[in-house]
Amino acid sequence: MARRGVGITITQHILNQQRQNPEATGGFTTLLNELIVAAKVISREVNKAGLADILGATGRTNVQDEQVQKLDVFANQVIIERMQHVGQLCCMGSEENADLIEIPSQYPKGNYIIVFDPLDGSSNIDVNVSIGTIFGVYKKKSDETDIDMLLNDVLQPGVNQVAAGYFIYGSSTMMVYTTGNGIGAHGFTLYPSVGEFLLSHENIRIPEKGKTYSVNEGNYTYWDEKTVALVDYFKAKDKDSGRPYTSRYVGSLVADFHRNLLKGGIFMYPADSKDPNKTSGKLRLMVEANPLAMVVREAGGYASDGNGPILEIDPSELHQRTPLYIGSREDVQLAEEFISGRRG
Ligand code: AHM
Ligand code: MG
């Protein structure tokens, strides 16, 4: 027997959720729908990335004599162009843009803010490994309209996100999203022949404890002793606690996270000494860590910077970086014990 709701479209799902909120105006649904259209366009381009040499590699012209763009630049442009005219946004923040993105004056504006990483896992584009788009949505707090003043509205802790999620362009294209408040995290698979995302993973629950750790161990030499002790712990043999864990890492956050979300485990990008302050790793708080932290929380998991919840960090910069430990609750809590020095 089919599970309840499985097979409904993402649009229907968003509408159903919005109906439960008496204050909903439909603007939020419009916003997410436009993002979904952008993701479908990106998915189509990602699927033909391997044809770049045939159609003309980046920076060259293709058979139609058009300039071929880098895929991450293309993805960024598609999202900006589609989202700027929905009338629901006051500004946007992208991993690809140093500053906030203004809504052009000819378009109406709204009270939402979207932050995104248009194509995460860029080193994997050329080698046919899954990549993704990550997004978080906030509501503006002030009445500001001046772009220079809006940064204060954007720099909110992740706990304030009203929606968050990601698209993964893999063996199939999926969207996983949540609107928070215990509503759960839900997964939709793009059926290319129909052109719709259909509900395939209703109310995802991440196992409390996994058997997998995901980390770039090539950074071992740049870690402090607490991080080394943590990773050594996962690799040590102890039958009772299910160790050694197995290791899985492809270097695409969305792909590594998605696997652990469905199967259990922990993804880590610890602080390392490549960072001049040794306080963060490579990943960005607002466009990478916060959206996934909201998804994992709704799925019953946890995300930490090693000392406390990612979602409670008060950001001071749009492109701020953070250490990230995310996945099964017990595994992330254990990582926190090591990193905060409560356990050695
Ligand atoms: P990107 O935004 O430039 O693609 O970088 C982020 C990616 C993540 O997807 C992934 O987790 C990480 O970088 C991998 O980094 P590393 O190659 O240092 O392991
Ligand atoms: Mg990224």
Side-chain angles (χ1 to χ4, degrees), residues 9-185:
T9 66
I10 176 75
T11 310
Q12 192 61 50
H13 196 269
I14 297 167
L15 279 170
N16 289 349
Q17 296 211 354
Q18 288 301 288
R19 279 200 201 103
Q20 289 165 29
N21 176 359
E23 288 165 37
T25 57
F28 179 72
T29 309
T30 316
L31 190 157
L32 280 188
N33 270 334
E34 207 55 39
L35 183 66
I36 290 161
V37 175
K40 286 181 192 172
V41 174
I42 297 168
S43 175
R44 189 198 59 198
E45 287 306 299
V46 167
N47 282 340
K48 55 182 208 209
L51 293 169
D53 282 342
I54 299 166
L55 301 176
T58 301
R60 302 213 314 255
T61 49
N62 66 14
V63 284
Q64 282 96 31
D65 237 13
E66 295 158 345
Q67 193 74 21
V68 178
Q69 279 178 315
K70 279 184 73 177
L71 257 186
D72 41 6
V73 176
F74 171 83
N76 194 39
Q77 205 171 313
V78 168
I79 297 177
I80 293 171
E81 282 172 7
R82 292 220 72 98
M83 300 308 290
Q84 66 187 2
H85 62 76
V86 290
Q88 306 301 328
L89 293 168
C90 60
C91 62
M92 300 181 250
S94 165
E95 189 187 289
E96 297 286 330
N97 295 60
D99 300 319
L100 284 181
I101 303 159
E102 207 166 344
I103 307 298
S105 54
Q106 67 265 38
Y107 300 123
K109 297 185 183 51
N111 289 326
Y112 289 104
I113 296 156
I114 186 164
V115 292
F116 54 90
D117 184 350
L119 207 55
D120 183 67
S122 40
S123 66
N124 282 323
I125 294 174
D126 295 339
V127 290
N128 217 351
V129 171
S130 302
I131 48 185
T133 299
I134 310 173
F135 66 92
V137 181
Y138 295 82
K139 264 202 151 162
K140 189 163 96 160
K141 295 176 297 183
S142 74
D143 295 331
E144 283 300 341
T145 50
D146 186 324
I147 190 75
D148 296 326
M149 305 304 287
L150 277 169
L151 190 59
N152 279 339
D153 284 272
V154 176
L155 297 178
Q156 301 185 43
V159 72
N160 290 358
Q161 289 170 113
V162 293
Y166 59 89
F167 297 87
I168 177 167
Y169 313 109
S171 47
S172 49
T173 294
M174 274 190 74
M175 174 185 183
V176 175
Y177 93 111
T178 180
T179 49
N181 295 322
I183 264 162

